Amino acid sequence: MTAAPQEQVQEQALGQGQGQPGGELTQTERMTVRFHLTCLATLLPYHQRPDALDAWVGLDPAFFFMGFDPPTPVTEAVVRLGGTRLRAALALTVGSGDTQRALFALDEPEIDAALRDNHRLDYETVCLLRVRDPHATAAGRSYHPGHHRRALLSADPELAAAALLDPRGDMRPTVRAAAWATVRAAGGTARVRELAAALPGHDDPVDAEVVAACAEAEPEPFLDTAAERHLGTGALLRRLRTAHRADHQPWRARRAMQSILAEPYRIDWRLVAAARLGCRLPRTAAELLRSRPDCPPEVAVVLRTGRPARPGRPLPPAPEPAVPEPYRPPRSHWVPEWQPPGDTGPFGDSAEAARHALRTMPVAFDARTDPAAATLAHLAAVIERGQLPASAAVPLVRPASVLTSWVGQASGWADVSRAAWSGRAALHVETAALLARWAAGRGPAGRWAALYPLLRHYPGTLPELLAAVSAAHPDRADPSLS
């Protein structure tokens, strides 16, 4: 490409950046732009990142929605130095539990509201939000039935009470009954009455029974009856017999019984043994009950044989509960072990050849579309061989987005600490230094906003891109970009 056409393309790209970006972009293109800019933000000085990110969020409120989280340096800068709007934009989409809880710890209403609308919330963050403001969390757009069920079955009475105030979800009666039992065991009848009065509705049959019991002068017997109706051994045995009769295929009946026994019933093993002795317990249910760790040995004999244990005979040992294996995170593959420099490709074997290639041809991310292209891997090999220092290569690489996106993503900044010998680490350091010189002090928001539509398709080098942005927003004289 000759100089004149390239200047025309750059002027056209800069002219497009004057208006509001994103109106003509598809969702995929927007997410690609967001990825490029978060990589660029990783390369900016730490205290400059919030200003740049806030300017981009002003143009694109869903800036952090990319299908994955921004690099760690970006999220850390937002949490520690960002304003409320920037933090709320991150809280709306972030999937990292640690970042979610760090934002929750700021205790700002706007951030909490954004977290409640985040569909990627993890269970611990949801629990914190429920306890802090149960009614607001129940009205949030983020809802996970599995998280709601876990909260209802929690041993924490405050969390169980907060979960009861959320009417969403199609829960089994045993789940909500167990939550009411937890609240009653911790706070007594007074707490149950207080919570029943705060319910947003009485559509659930278990809630309706509790509300009716609380309306009585002496609610304790009525609460006991309601709990026994849903959690008692009689209710369990009835459901097991129903599951046995409902389907004649053994494997389906077994699966249904396993699902029933996973619910929080209060099992009286004496009644279970009596049902087995009276031939009122299906054999499949007896086998599943016998395999439970909490089954007493004498009841296990009854369930296995259908007869009481004989006096004097040793009882079988109780089954040991399965111990889950501790989670071991997979070994990181971000950075390979040291290896000799690779092929330099079109960059040749000398500094002059490398400079000539950088001036005359664009650099590609990889060679998938053009096997003869000069790639960033070739450039990294040139730096590792000592042919050309990174400080001389960075100002010549074009297009700028290939350089900033490759060295600014998570694996790029990890190279700086884990593989400082690599050419990619050297490119990261030099690119960050160039941006730091351009953004010396606190740059105006207009310059950061101008980068939003330009970075992805700008054909020139990074110094040319920064000079074009400075010319469009001449707020102050630029320091040297060399």
Side-chain angles (χ1 to χ4, degrees):
M1 180 181 290
T2 60
Q6 181 172 345
E7 290 178 0
Q8 293 175 3
V9 171
Q10 293 176 0
E11 290 175 1
Q12 181 180 2
L14 187 60
Q16 293 173 353
Q18 302 295 330
Q20 283 289 337
E24 67 283 356
L25 299 181
T26 65
Q27 181 63 21
T28 301
E29 290 172 335
R30 288 193 189 97
M31 294 174 72
T32 303
V33 171
R34 294 164 189 167
F35 168 74
H36 282 290
L37 289 172
T38 53
C39 292
L40 176 64
T42 305
L43 298 165
L44 295 176
Y46 182 75
H47 290 83
Q48 297 273 332
R49 290 172 196 158
D51 293 338
L53 293 167
D54 190 69
W56 297 331
V57 167
L59 296 173
D60 183 4
F63 176 76
F64 291 112
F65 178 74
M66 296 179 289
F68 50 86
D69 285 353
T72 302
V74 173
T75 57
E76 288 181 352
V78 172
V79 172
R80 296 180 182 178
L81 303 176
T84 300
R85 181 179 72 169
L86 184 59
R87 289 168 172 171
L90 178 63
L92 189 62
T93 62
V94 68
S96 166
D98 293 337
T99 305
Q100 291 171 4
R101 287 183 284 280
L103 291 166
F104 173 85
L106 298 173
D107 195 9
E108 296 186 20
E110 293 183 22
I111 297 175
D112 287 355
L115 285 171
R116 288 191 290 267
D117 291 339
N118 184 349
H119 294 281
R120 302 173 67 198
L121 281 185
D122 72 351
Y123 174 68
E124 294 182 17
T125 309
V126 174
C127 293
L128 294 172
L129 289 168
R130 284 192 187 279
V131 174
R132 175 176 285 179
D133 194 336
H135 293 286
T137 304
R141 288 183 295 178
S142 173
Y143 179 73
H144 193 294
H147 291 171
H148 191 191
R149 186 179 188 277
R150 286 181 64 185
L152 288 167
L153 297 177
S154 170
D156 183 355
E158 292 302 319
L159 177 58
L164 283 169
L165 294 175
D166 191 342
R168 295 174 293 182
D170 185 15
M171 301 293 171
R172 294 291 311 175
T174 53
V175 176
R176 294 190 73 87
W180 281 110
T182 302
V183 173
R184 183 185 178 192
T189 306
R191 177 61 175 141
V192 173
R193 276 179 161 167
E194 176 188 354
L195 186 61
L199 287 175
H202 305 152
D203 297 334
D204 187 85
V206 178
D207 294 351
E209 290 186 32
V210 172
V211 171
C214 292
E216 301 290 338
E218 296 292 337
E220 287 82 1
F222 298 92
L223 292 173
D224 292 339
T225 302
E228 184 64 24
R229 181 181 296 113
H230 297 291
L231 299 175
T233 306
L236 171 64
L237 296 176
R238 281 193 300 272
R239 288 191 64 195
L240 290 174
R241 287 195 293 268
T242 302
H244 178 67
R245 292 194 301 264
D247 200 320
H248 296 289
Q249 294 182 349
W251 67 272
R252 289 187 180 274
R254 187 179 187 88
R255 178 181 293 179
M257 291 180 183
Q258 287 174 336
S259 175
I260 292 170
L261 290 173
E263 297 184 28
Y265 284 100
R266 300 172 177 176
I267 301 179
D268 187 336
W269 291 102
R270 295 173 299 175
L271 297 178
V272 171
R276 180 70 177 96
L277 291 172
C279 300
R280 300 192 307 274
L281 185 66
R283 186 176 297 275
T284 303
E287 292 176 1
L288 294 173
L289 285 165
R290 181 164 56 89
S291 64
R292 290 171 62 100
D294 55 342
C295 178
E298 59 274 13
V299 177
V301 173
V302 176
L303 294 174
R304 181 172 57 88
T305 64
R307 297 187 300 271
R310 293 185 180 182
R313 285 200 174 186
L315 297 174
E320 296 183 1
V323 179
E325 295 234 346
Y327 172 74
R328 293 183 178 88
R331 185 177 178 182
S332 174
H333 297 288
W334 283 117
V335 183
E337 297 180 357
W338 184 89
Q339 51 188 341
D343 180 25
T344 58
F347 292 112
D349 297 327
S350 65
E352 190 56 38
R355 286 192 178 92
H356 177 74
L358 287 171
R359 291 192 183 100
T360 57
M361 61 193 327
V363 179
F365 182 83
D366 52 39
R368 283 181 294 180
T369 57
D370 183 6
T375 67
L376 288 164
H378 294 150
L379 182 58
V382 168
I383 296 171
E384 292 171 18
R385 290 176 183 271
Q387 292 177 219
L388 193 68
S391 58
V394 165
L396 301 177
V397 175
R398 60 182 176 87
S401 62
V402 173
L403 176 65
T404 57
S405 300
W406 189 65
V407 304
Q409 57 186 281
S411 55
W413 59 262
D415 281 357
V416 177
S417 58
R418 300 181 188 178
W421 48 267
S422 66
R424 188 176 187 179
L427 287 171
H428 184 106
V429 172
E430 289 301 329
T431 305
L434 189 150
L435 288 167
R437 290 194 293 271
W438 178 75
R442 300 183 67 85
R447 292 188 177 183
W448 300 123
L451 284 168
Y452 186 100
L454 286 176
L455 179 61
R456 182 186 175 198
H457 292 297
Y458 193 82
T461 64
L462 183 58
E464 291 170 350
L465 169 63
L466 300 179
V469 172
S470 299
H473 298 274
D475 301 270
R476 56 179 173 82
D478 274 346
S480 174
L481 297 177
S482 59

